[in-house]
Amino acid sequence: NVGVPEAGYVSVNVYNILGQQVATLADGYMEASTLGHTVTWNAENLASGIYLVRAITAGKVSTQKLMLLK
């Protein structure tokens, strides 16, 4: 889920451990939501490993580390 405190541009991208962008989960305008918006990552074409998800909303940046296991 991506929390959007105020309506505006939202960008959610996935990067591999080398810093290369491997997926875009959201890129555009979203309405404000206290519950957040759900984004889905289809990683079937990627290898197991560590990935970083970066979300940019209303001037705030959040990064999370994910481990993909297949």
Side-chain angles (χ1 to χ4, degrees), residues 28-68:
Y29 180 85
M30 284 189 185
E31 293 291 334
S33 172
T34 56
L35 299 175
H37 296 273
T38 301
V39 294
T40 303
W41 179 30
N42 180 355
E44 72 179 31
N45 62 338
L46 297 172
S48 295
I50 303 292
Y51 292 88
L52 301 170
V53 178
R54 184 175 80 172
I56 302 171
T57 62
K60 298 182 184 203
V61 178
S62 175
T63 304
Q64 288 185 324
K65 181 169 59 171
L66 300 176
M67 180 179 292
L68 176 63

